[in-house]
Amino acid sequence: MAVAAKVPSLAAAGGGELQKIEALLGGSRILSRSLTNALDAHELLLHGLPASALDHLVGTLVVLGKNESLKKAVGMSLRTWQRRKDTPSKPLSQEQSGRAWKFAEILAKATDIFGSQAEAEQWLERPAVGLEQRRPIDLLGTPAGVELVEDHLDRLEYGVYA
């Protein structure tokens, strides 16, 4: 739930970032609404993302395996995700929605920094010097770890590596 509380930070990022995250989650067709600002995103997460948004996000992954990305980034086992596919009308919980959103947000930012989604996913899997040789994907399970990954991406974006 703490992850979902950080959504308003998108207001500073601008609409382009919001649209990239929306696209990773399936766009307005899957989300049943167009997101124009951070409050729209907040309302969406408050009511829970549609399960099909997570399906879309996982389906767009190029390098990361379903099992690893679901477990570490979204906090859901592959088996739970498969069961959720049987009930697509049931929305994700607020916590699952917040974590899926945050994963999409980090993936979108890393894609911008590294130039392609494949490179961004590879970065998530590689030990990072600025994260004391920890893999970014391994840190996404806690709010503190998410913050470390976001800070590291900010440093990479501005050329500060240590």
Side-chain angles (χ1 to χ4, degrees):
M1 186 108 156
V3 175
K6 288 193 85 171
V7 171
S9 68
L10 289 174
E17 185 78 14
L18 190 62
Q19 269 52 59
K20 291 172 189 171
I21 297 164
E22 180 180 7
L24 282 170
L25 294 170
S28 59
R29 182 179 58 81
I30 289 178
L31 299 177
S32 301
R33 67 177 82 175
S34 183
L35 304 177
T36 58
N37 59 46
L39 284 175
D40 289 344
H42 170 75
E43 288 298 319
L44 176 68
L45 296 176
L46 200 58
H47 294 95
L49 286 173
S52 53
L54 181 58
D55 295 342
H56 187 272
L57 176 61
V58 170
T60 64
L61 297 177
V62 181
V63 176
L64 290 173
K66 286 184 177 89
N67 193 29
E68 182 176 20
S69 61
L70 282 169
K71 186 75 174 162
K72 293 184 177 173
V74 184
M76 182 184 295
S77 71
L78 181 60
R79 182 66 193 119
T80 300
W81 176 64
Q82 289 168 336
R83 278 194 307 271
R84 292 300 308 247
K85 287 178 78 169
D86 295 336
T87 56
S89 61
K90 185 179 176 190
L92 300 176
S93 70
Q94 283 183 5
E95 181 181 357
Q96 291 167 335
S97 296
R99 288 182 69 171
W101 178 276
K102 187 51 75 175
F103 178 63
E105 186 177 357
I106 286 171
L107 184 58
K109 183 169 184 128
T111 299
D112 284 347
I113 292 169
F114 294 106
S116 75
Q117 185 172 323
E119 285 292 323
E121 290 180 37
Q122 287 172 6
W123 173 79
L124 283 166
E125 287 193 315
R126 287 191 298 256
V129 173
L131 296 171
E132 297 181 7
Q133 294 303 315
R134 291 191 170 100
R135 298 181 329 151
I137 190 86
D138 294 334
L139 297 172
L140 298 181
T142 67
V146 166
E147 192 172 328
L148 286 168
V149 172
E150 289 176 320
D151 290 346
H152 185 62
L153 278 171
D154 287 341
R155 291 192 312 264
L156 290 174
E157 184 175 23
Y158 294 106
V160 180
Y161 300 104

